[in-house]
Amino acid sequence: GSEMCIRDRAYTQYLLKNYHDALMTSKEALNEHADIGNFDGVKASREMLISCYIKLGMKEEAKAEAQLILDKSFKKENIGSRK
């Protein structure tokens, strides 16, 4: 499905050190997984978000995402506008 492509894109962006892009792509993927109730997808997307946040030095955000994984939360990400 399309969600797999998004996840692959996020991973590629991450490997290319495009952490902001990977962050946005991961948030989009996470929201798609949340919409269909796929926790594994949500968890994988959150793990990617955590990696991006750590690379960007955003420790509080990383901690918040880790807590959401522990809570098995389907809370969607606020994407806002792409800068």
Side-chain angles (χ1 to χ4, degrees):
S2 66
E3 66 279 347
M4 200 55 215
C5 301
I6 294 181
R7 209 158 77 202
D8 289 346
R9 197 166 77 225
Y11 188 61
T12 303
Q13 289 165 336
Y14 180 82
L15 291 178
L16 294 172
K17 298 184 167 51
N18 297 338
Y19 303 125
H20 283 286
D21 291 338
L23 207 55
M24 291 301 296
T25 305
S26 296
K27 287 182 176 188
E28 289 170 11
L30 190 154
N31 290 352
E32 284 193 16
H33 288 299
D35 282 340
I36 59 171
N38 174 8
F39 182 71
D40 288 339
V42 169
K43 182 173 181 281
S45 297
R46 284 205 203 287
E47 287 167 352
M48 177 58 82
L49 285 176
I50 290 168
S51 299
C52 293
Y53 283 137
I54 289 169
K55 292 287 186 186
L56 293 166
M58 300 164 76
K59 292 195 179 71
E60 290 307 310
E61 288 85 350
K63 239 189 293 194
E65 291 296 336
Q67 188 57 56
L68 288 170
I69 290 176
L70 292 175
D71 294 343
K72 294 194 169 24
S73 172
F74 278 93
K75 179 175 183 282
K76 290 170 76 169
E77 292 294 317
N78 183 4
I79 293 176
S81 60
R82 283 179 176 271
K83 288 195 172 57

